[in-house]
Amino acid sequence: MDLVGTWTGRTACLLQEAMRMTNEAFAERLGVSDRTISRWHASPDMTHRPEVQQILDTAYEQAGEAVQRRFALLLRPPAPRMEAQALRVAIAVVLRGDEVLLVCRRGDGELRWQFPAGMVKPGVDPSTVAVQETHGETGVHCTVRQQLGERVHPVTGVMASYFLADHLAGEATNRDPLENVDVAFVPRTALTRFIPQEQIYPPILEALEATV
């Protein structure tokens, strides 16, 4: 065996991946039980008995050149991981008198109302992103009044930076129909009819009550 001197749970599962087989199909191909394959996935460091080593040798040799190439690629050690910046979004809570700006997004088979938001690239000021994304999504020009805080978003897991902003000009228009179904200014007192209160970052509610 050129690539594998001793089969382990990990290398056997990599062969399964290279063969693009389900646990059931791989088990049938090798003549073992589905439970055995599941045990290999759960114990990547295990070493197989000699008779299983032979079965896996044969399966590899009979798999064909395409599978063997995929298997060789999967065996390569992973490249060193670069230190990645956590994903960050900037969220704008835009006020116009007694109204707040919302967008209705598509996603996961249902529609969700939320505040305008955009991804923050490394080195870019989140407050600038909040202003730019608001205009890009809704056509509304705004200016940031203050940062309300940051948190790891409980649903998406990304770092979210929240900004209270004031409307400067422009009517709410859906300028991103691929992402959004609608945009609208809604009464602040009706906000929880669009977004469940438990999903709203508490400092947003505090800021809206303080500025009524």
Side-chain angles (χ1 to χ4, degrees):
M1 191 68 192
D2 294 330
L3 293 178
V4 178
T6 301
W7 288 97
T8 64
R10 171 183 174 271
T11 51
C13 292
L14 290 180
L15 178 60
Q16 176 189 357
E17 183 176 349
M19 296 174 78
R20 295 176 176 167
M21 286 185 169
T22 63
N23 283 7
E24 293 78 8
F26 193 49
E28 183 177 354
R29 177 69 172 268
L30 300 181
V32 299
S33 69
D34 299 353
R35 183 177 297 179
T36 296
I37 304 299
S38 297
R39 188 167 65 250
W40 295 355
H41 282 276
S43 305
D45 295 327
M46 68 175 293
T47 299
H48 298 298
R49 302 189 309 274
E51 58 269 29
V52 178
Q53 298 280 340
Q54 294 176 2
I55 291 172
L56 289 166
D57 283 346
T58 301
Y60 169 81
E61 292 163 2
Q62 295 178 349
E65 185 178 347
V67 170
Q68 291 172 357
R69 283 200 303 267
R70 283 197 296 270
F71 180 67
L73 290 172
L74 291 169
L75 273 179
R76 291 181 180 177
R81 294 183 61 183
M82 302 285 289
E83 190 64 31
Q85 172 181 300
L87 290 177
R88 180 183 295 272
V89 296
I91 298 171
V93 182
V94 182
L95 303 182
R96 185 181 69 176
D98 292 331
E99 298 176 313
V100 61
L101 181 63
L102 297 180
V103 300
C104 185
R105 295 200 193 283
R106 312 174 192 271
D108 300 330
E110 59 182 290
L111 305 178
R112 291 190 178 92
W113 286 94
Q114 62 186 63
F115 304 102
M119 196 67 67
V120 180
K121 295 180 180 179
V124 179
D125 179 13
S127 65
T128 299
V129 173
V131 170
Q132 292 176 343
E133 288 295 325
T134 296
H135 181 256
E137 283 193 287
T138 71
V140 169
H141 293 277
C142 66
T143 183
V144 169
R145 183 192 305 184
Q146 69 181 90
Q147 182 171 359
L148 297 174
E150 294 184 336
R151 68 168 175 172
V152 175
H153 196 280
V155 176
T156 63
V158 303
M159 180 61 70
S161 300
Y162 296 85
F163 297 91
L164 186 66
D166 295 306
H167 172 267
L168 293 178
E171 291 298 322
T173 305
N174 186 5
R175 300 179 64 179
D176 190 0
L178 291 179
E179 291 286 337
N180 303 328
V181 175
D182 196 8
V183 303
F185 278 102
V186 305
R188 282 188 269 177
T189 54
L191 176 60
T192 53
R193 289 164 47 191
F194 293 84
I195 307 174
Q197 182 167 339
E198 64 273 12
Q199 296 180 13
I200 302 174
Y201 185 45
I204 294 176
L205 295 173
E206 295 170 7
L208 294 182
E209 292 175 359
T211 54
V212 170

